[in-house]
Amino acid sequence: MSSPNIVNVEKFEVLPSNQPSDNTYSFRGGNPIITLTIPSQAKFLRPSSVKINGVLRVQTSAGVLSNSNNLKTGGTATKIQLSDRVGVHSVLQNVVLSSEATNQSLESIRQYGRLVSSILSSTHSSDDYMSEKSVVALCNSVQSSNDNLYSNETSFSVPLYCGLLQGGNPIPLSANGINGLTINLELASDQQVLKGANAADGGGAFYQLKDISLSGDLLVPDDAGVQALSVPGSGAFQYNSYSSLYSVINSGDATQTYNLSNSNVLAITHNFLPVSHSNTYAQDAFTNGELLNTNAGGTTYNEAVVLKKVSFSRGGVKLGLDYEMDVETNSTEGRPETQVNLEYLNAFKPEKSLTRLLNQNQLLGYGGTDILPYSDESGPVNQNDNNRLGVITTDSNVRNFGVGLALDRVSDVGVNFKGQSYSTRIQSSLDGKSPNAVYSYVKAKNVLQYSPNGVMVMN
């Protein structure tokens, strides 16, 4: 399809097609699915404009608003918290985009919140978090400050970090394209989203979403473009998509093999979480920390693993790099594992453009001497303490770590994994009794072919 001649831009807002009678979506309340539909029409969707809007309400088990304000006076704050890196994005467990007319799946992302945690931390600075993200997504990268953002019902407006909606090209909504777009959002459990000292009290805190809508821009072509879009025809267009995989690592020398079945893979990333830290009020399920070993009793993950070597392969042959990344000295000394970190960040954004991110020295412990927000020699202090040393820009001891690889930064075509396996080899000091979950995300280029008979996705 030739480039359209756009003559007008229309703003739109649509409500869910499965809206409950009380206008409230809740995992606990039995309404965990949100369905939003943009009908087929002779217009184009501007993907970067698409936003999910609504109101978040965080409640105690008794159904009253939580008050986690750390500066609260005249009482004790109720510690029910959201992830300071992901915010309201954490309520989305799975995101599925499909053709409205044919129900053909275009993109499906599981464990969406952990993907967003990696994307935001790798492409946004602490300044971005403290300004724009704290307003629209309820996350500002400092937990003690983040707790103040949702003591009341709070509005949000966030993009969807899906490959299809992060592209720059307009998406045709007519039969000469995707034939309408349906977005299905599956909410995560309360235990996955919420955490904090008081989150489990009285049966557990919970969250609700209200006044959900989908908004964005429609690009209206000229009369010739409208006529061309109105008559079913055949054609194709390219778009990117994310897919997700889950595995577990529990060995000091672990090779994990994946069947990607895609001919145009652009990038692959992996982040880690102790298996017991998922779906529990006691832990933040969206941290991107290093691999962890458990303590002597095997009950608490509190020992950072020494990362030794990382390498990637395709069909048994080294992939991307013709050597193993040896970072054992850096890891042992508590310094950034620069080689591994750089390749991981490059998978989200070209290395030369890495100017806004949360990777900084304050996030490393350096032998346990972390710099704490509002701290003096004796530890954290309250707002009235005149001996504070200053405020750091992000919470200490929460890193943005992962392993990954950009596979084609030159031609942007990708690597063919049809009939070829993809493998990672991670050598570390994992003790064999401390399983860590591996969340893998594959960014690939797809081709959508459309005809009067429907649409088909080629990958």
Side-chain angles (χ1 to χ4, degrees), residues 168-240:
N169 296 324
I171 301 172
L173 292 171
S174 67
N176 287 349
I178 63 175
N179 215 347
L181 178 64
T182 296
I183 301 176
N184 278 298
L185 309 175
E186 181 181 344
L187 301 184
S189 68
D190 302 302
Q191 295 94 324
Q192 181 79 357
V193 175
L194 303 176
K195 60 176 181 174
N198 303 114
D201 292 352
F206 63 102
Y207 70 92
Q208 294 177 327
L209 300 181
K210 301 167 59 178
D211 301 332
I212 298 298
S213 68
L214 176 74
S215 63
D217 296 345
L218 294 177
L219 307 180
V220 183
D222 57 18
D223 291 342
V226 170
Q227 184 176 3
L229 290 173
S230 300
V231 179
S234 299
F237 73 90
Q238 289 185 334
Y239 69 95
N240 294 337

Side-chain angles (χ1 to χ4, degrees), residues 123-447:
T123 59
H124 290 72
S125 69
S126 55
D127 290 338
D128 297 328
Y129 269 94
M130 285 291 188
S131 53
E132 186 250 351
K133 290 305 171 189
S134 65
V135 175
V136 301
L138 310 185
C139 51
N140 67 10
S141 82
V142 177
Q143 190 67 64
S144 57
S145 176
N146 204 75
D147 295 346
N148 304 325
L149 299 179
Y150 40 86
S151 294
N152 299 296
E153 289 189 353
T154 311
S155 299
F156 62 86
S157 180
V158 294
L160 286 174
Y161 290 94
C162 306
L164 178 63
L165 298 178
Q166 293 297 304
N169 296 324
I171 301 172
L173 292 171
S174 67
N176 287 349
I178 63 175
N179 215 347
L181 178 64
T182 296
I183 301 176
N184 278 298
L185 309 175
E186 181 181 344
L187 301 184
S189 68
D190 302 302
Q191 295 94 324
Q192 181 79 357
V193 175
L194 303 176
K195 60 176 181 174
N198 303 114
D201 292 352
F206 63 102
Y207 70 92
Q208 294 177 327
L209 300 181
K210 301 167 59 178
D211 301 332
I212 298 298
S213 68
L214 176 74
S215 63
D217 296 345
L218 294 177
L219 307 180
V220 183
D222 57 18
D223 291 342
V226 170
Q227 184 176 3
L229 290 173
S230 300
V231 179
S234 299
F237 73 90
Q238 289 185 334
Y239 69 95
N240 294 337
S241 69
Y242 281 104
S243 58
S244 50
L245 299 165
Y246 176 87
S247 58
V248 175
I249 184 173
N250 193 22
S251 169
D253 190 349
T255 299
Q256 295 191 306
T257 302
Y258 305 86
N259 181 17
L260 305 185
S261 299
N262 197 297
S263 58
N264 300 97
V265 178
L266 301 173
I268 308 173
T269 58
H270 312 269
N271 59 49
F272 309 99
L273 183 74
V275 292
S276 64
H277 288 195
S278 179
N279 206 36
T280 172
Y281 288 122
Q283 300 290 342
D284 185 348
F286 301 97
T287 58
N288 292 328
E290 65 269 46
L291 293 164
L292 295 177
N293 278 328
T294 55
N295 58 3
T299 58
T300 304
Y301 286 85
N302 61 358
E303 178 187 335
V305 164
V306 173
L307 185 65
K308 299 177 181 178
K309 296 180 180 180
V310 177
S311 61
F312 309 92
S313 62
R314 173 181 175 269
V317 179
K318 285 285 189 293
L319 174 68
L321 308 170
D322 58 3
Y323 55 88
E324 293 180 319
M325 293 181 286
D326 188 342
V327 293
E328 183 173 1
T329 300
N330 302 58
S331 185
T332 301
E333 296 179 356
R335 295 186 284 112
E337 300 89 350
T338 305
Q339 282 185 301
V340 173
N341 288 339
L342 188 59
E343 295 298 337
Y344 170 68
L345 294 169
N346 187 46
F348 294 107
K349 198 171 184 179
E351 177 183 340
K352 62 182 180 181
S353 303
L354 290 174
T355 57
R356 309 188 72 83
L357 61 160
L358 283 187
N359 293 61
Q360 52 185 266
N361 293 338
Q362 289 98 317
L363 301 183
L364 288 169
Y366 293 109
T369 57
D370 298 357
I371 306 173
L372 297 174
Y374 294 111
S375 64
D376 60 14
E377 294 80 358
S378 61
V381 297
N382 61 48
Q383 70 273 21
N384 297 317
D385 194 324
N386 294 323
N387 297 321
R388 70 182 72 176
L389 297 181
V391 185
I392 67 168
T393 54
T394 55
D395 276 343
S396 57
N397 77 358
V398 182
R399 298 183 60 188
N400 175 39
F401 177 80
V403 302
L405 196 64
L407 299 179
D408 188 357
R409 283 294 182 199
V410 178
S411 64
D412 202 36
V413 172
V415 174
N416 187 355
F417 283 93
K418 289 289 184 68
Q420 296 286 347
S421 63
Y422 162 76
S423 299
T424 62
R425 184 183 181 189
I426 300 177
Q427 296 169 262
S428 67
S429 63
L430 268 176
D431 57 15
K433 57 183 180 182
S434 307
N436 283 250
V438 183
Y439 296 88
S440 305
Y441 297 94
V442 181
K443 184 180 181 181
K445 188 183 295 293
N446 296 336
V447 177

Side-chain angles (χ1 to χ4, degrees), residues 40-51:
S40 178
Q41 51 196 296
K43 299 172 184 176
F44 294 84
L45 175 67
R46 179 182 285 164
S48 61
S49 70
V50 174
K51 298 289 190 299

